[in-house]
Amino acid sequence: MSSHSSGRPPTQRLFAAVLPPGTAVAALRTAVAPLHALPGAGELRWTRPEGRHFTLAFYGEVPEDVLPELCVRLERAAHRTEAFPLRVHGAGHFGGRALWAGAAGGLDTLRLLAERADAAARRAGLPMEEHRRHTPHLTPARSRGGADLRPFAAAPAGFGGERWEAGELRLVRSVPPVPGVPVERPRYETVRAWALGR
């Protein structure tokens, strides 16, 4: 939670997400482990396993007084969306910025849930960026500069993890790292969770 000296209400940095089960995260961790031996791996910021999630909508700093309405609307979005099959599948990179692992399975339903999570925020009064087609992915690593991530994406490109049923929508708080501590990473805490289709 953060507060502002300007007199504005306190805020939380929030996003909506689907979290993979521990077994899926462990399988991805095993798949990317050999990448740590590649040249340049030490220059990347590797995401901790608990930080691997499929972000549906990023809300940024959400004022405390907006949170109840956002939760009501996210609950509605969850109940209108059925559970769906999902698995981690493939890999790629966003330029020189981030290495990603993709998804397979019920992607149409995942994208529908992302659209509903975005619409929930807009209806709750949050200013959202222009909505773009959702590209489901987890982020195993990010680059501090413009790294050549092609070798890192090529190795696990054929990775296909176990199938699971995505049955929950979560509202997650991102707690920023402590400034000046090089090994610190953001922490993620679930604020609320709603079962899909109920």
Side-chain angles (χ1 to χ4, degrees):
M1 187 182 301
S2 64
S3 58
H4 301 281
S5 56
S6 63
R8 288 182 291 174
T11 63
Q12 298 182 54
R13 190 173 179 82
L14 302 174
F15 60 91
V18 167
L19 274 60
T23 51
V25 173
L28 178 60
R29 185 177 190 176
T30 300
V32 301
L35 304 183
H36 291 267
L38 293 178
E43 301 303 311
L44 300 179
R45 288 179 299 155
W46 295 89
T47 308
R48 293 184 178 137
E50 61 271 19
R52 295 181 180 163
H53 45 256
F54 291 102
T55 301
L56 301 173
F58 179 71
Y59 302 136
E61 296 293 335
V62 177
E64 291 285 346
D65 58 354
V66 175
L67 189 55
E69 180 68 13
L70 177 61
C71 287
V72 166
R73 293 186 178 279
L74 285 173
E75 180 177 29
R76 211 173 286 161
H79 292 177
R80 292 175 54 211
T81 310
E82 292 300 319
F84 55 95
L86 199 60
R87 66 188 176 97
V88 181
H89 175 75
H93 60 96
F94 295 122
R97 297 174 293 118
L99 175 68
W100 56 259
L107 298 187
D108 287 344
T109 308
L110 180 63
R111 287 189 179 106
L112 176 62
L113 185 58
E115 288 171 9
R116 287 174 172 167
D118 182 90
R122 292 176 192 279
R123 290 185 182 125
L126 290 176
M128 299 290 287
E129 290 184 4
E130 182 182 345
H131 188 64
R132 295 181 297 239
R133 181 171 167 81
H134 183 254
T135 305
H137 65 279
L138 306 172
T139 308
R142 289 182 175 84
S143 171
R144 293 182 177 89
D148 181 4
L149 296 175
R150 288 174 296 179
F152 295 93
F159 173 71
E162 68 170 38
R163 178 186 178 278
W164 79 90
E165 184 175 86
E168 199 173 58
L169 168 63
R170 293 197 187 199
L171 181 62
V172 181
R173 175 173 42 241
S174 174
V175 180
V178 177
V181 181
V183 295
E184 276 286 303
R185 299 283 183 270
R187 286 183 298 109
Y188 302 101
E189 304 167 350
T190 297
V191 176
R192 294 283 303 274
W194 301 273
L196 298 183
R198 294 179 213 149

